[in-house]
Amino acid sequence: MLWVKAFHLIFLVSWYAGLFYLPRLYVHHAMSTDAQTRERLQIMERKLFWFITPWAILTVVFGIWLWMLQGWGFNAGWLNLKLLLVIVLVLFHIWCGKLMFDFRKGDNPHSHVWFRWFNEFPLLILVAVVLLVILKPF
Ligand code: HEM
């Protein structure tokens, strides 16, 4: 069980490193007008997105494994809320992929200010999830 938890956290940190950096690349992309820079950013975005996707899958797989080992089912309120937030985080990840494709098509999907706010979203989820799993308030 402790090994599973340890790897759940290792995969989570790896996933989050990318989730924090990918929208930063979008901020630069949305600000850039130079074709060569945009081309380079697009390559970096594609590589980073596909690099972190396996970490996302492994975090979820190891989380579900832990959940089954603990045997809480749907009886723990904090865990139910956490699962909901994880679904939102996975949707955020998929949205990041869609934005990557939009940039690749040559579109500028949103302003750099919009991406700065977008960048804060995974942090809010992280704070909420960590407080839920550590404090287990309900
Ligand atoms: C379907 C996905 C997931 C499931 C089913 C899941 C389930 C679990 C379970 C059952 C535990 C053990 C809790 C305990 O023993 O007290 C745990 C630990 C933890 N999870 Fe997840 N998790 C998932 C995804 C995530 C995500 C996306 C995050 C962060 C945003 C996260 C953050 C954590 C943290 C920080 C711990 C450590 C708690 C401790 O030290 O006891 N998990 N997870």
Side-chain angles (χ1 to χ4, degrees), residues 87-100:
I87 291 170
V88 173
L89 190 66
V90 169
L91 292 176
F92 177 85
H93 183 103
I94 293 168
W95 193 6
C96 283
K98 187 201 172 290
L99 291 166
M100 179 192 72

Side-chain angles (χ1 to χ4, degrees), residues 44-112:
M44 290 168 74
E45 287 155 8
R46 192 187 68 229
K47 288 191 169 172
L48 184 59
F49 178 77
W50 292 115
F51 180 74
I52 62 170
T53 298
W55 304 132
I57 295 167
L58 285 167
T59 303
V60 171
V61 168
F62 273 66
I64 291 172
W65 190 0
L66 257 181
W67 182 24
M68 287 162 69
L69 287 174
Q70 301 273 27
W72 279 314
F74 290 103
N75 297 319
W78 63 271
L79 187 57
N80 295 344
L81 182 55
K82 172 184 166 170
L83 291 176
L84 195 69
L85 293 173
V86 172
I87 291 170
V88 173
L89 190 66
V90 169
L91 292 176
F92 177 85
H93 183 103
I94 293 168
W95 193 6
C96 283
K98 187 201 172 290
L99 291 166
M100 179 192 72
F101 284 114
D102 288 347
F103 273 125
R104 202 195 293 189
K105 278 190 294 182
D107 299 347
N108 230 1
H110 300 283
S111 71
H112 71 95

